[in-house]
């Protein structure tokens, strides 16, 4: 299982991967690439992914986030939430299963999270776990 987090406010530009800090990585199926801010999936299979974010300073409302695999959006993973007037924040949750299939040139798949517009991530957690 891979777990990453954000505990300090982090500005994220439009089309940029959210930079998580590694909490732990307990297997050889995943690794974190800090250069691309993506979780590299190193073996084929099905992976359960959960992301929880609290965001602010979002350029457009409602706030949104989405999973990307190899720079391609995973359509069913998009989530959105209105910004709360009293706090100026939005909470976003993504829960999805990602399938990684073997190919002739398979080396790994990059899994990343992006906001729908520029903003600040106040806190966040991502977990990626291969199904048994």
């Amino acid at each position: 299982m891979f777990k990453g987090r954000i505990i300090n406010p982090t500005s994220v530009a439009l089309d940029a991967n959210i930079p998580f800090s590694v909490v732990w990585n307990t297997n050889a199926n995943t690794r974190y690439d800090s250069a691309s801010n993506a979780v590299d999936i190193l073996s084929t299979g099905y992976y359960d992914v959960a992301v929880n974010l609290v965001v602010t300073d979002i350029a457009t409302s409602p706030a949104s986030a989405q999973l990307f695999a190899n720079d391609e959006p995973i359509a069913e993973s998009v989530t959105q939430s209105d910004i709360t007037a009293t706090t100026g924040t939005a909470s976003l949750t993504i829960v999805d299963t990602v399938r990684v299939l073997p190919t002739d040139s398979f080396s790994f798949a990059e899994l990343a999270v992006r906001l729908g517009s520029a903003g600040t991530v106040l806190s966040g957690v991502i977990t990626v776990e291969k199904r048994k």
Side-chain angles (χ1 to χ4, degrees):
M1 175 184 210
F2 171 86
K3 182 177 182 180
R5 70 178 178 183
I6 293 177
I7 57 173
N8 295 314
T10 303
S11 295
V12 179
L14 178 64
D15 295 327
N17 296 343
I18 295 174
F20 292 94
S21 298
V22 177
V23 174
W24 69 69
N25 190 17
T26 62
N27 63 63
N29 296 316
T30 58
R31 71 175 176 218
Y32 191 72
D33 183 347
S34 58
S36 64
N37 296 322
V39 178
D40 292 339
I41 297 176
L42 304 172
S43 63
T44 61
Y46 293 85
Y47 291 81
D48 292 323
V49 181
V51 180
N52 292 294
L53 303 169
V54 176
V55 298
T56 191
D57 300 329
I58 298 297
T60 60
S61 185
S64 66
Q66 187 168 19
L67 290 175
F68 283 73
N70 295 331
D71 286 327
E72 295 294 325
I74 301 173
E76 65 274 10
S77 73
V78 70
T79 185
Q80 60 183 358
S81 178
D82 290 327
I83 298 167
T84 305
T86 56
T87 64
T89 64
S91 295
L92 300 166
T93 300
I94 300 171
V95 177
D96 203 354
T97 300
V98 175
R99 180 175 67 168
V100 178
L101 297 174
T103 65
D104 292 337
S105 61
F106 181 86
S107 58
F108 66 90
E110 276 192 344
L111 185 65
V113 183
R114 296 180 188 166
L115 297 177
S117 63
T120 300
V121 178
L122 297 176
S123 63
V125 174
I126 182 173
T127 58
V128 180
E129 184 170 21
K130 186 173 185 176
R131 287 191 178 183
K132 302 272 182 221

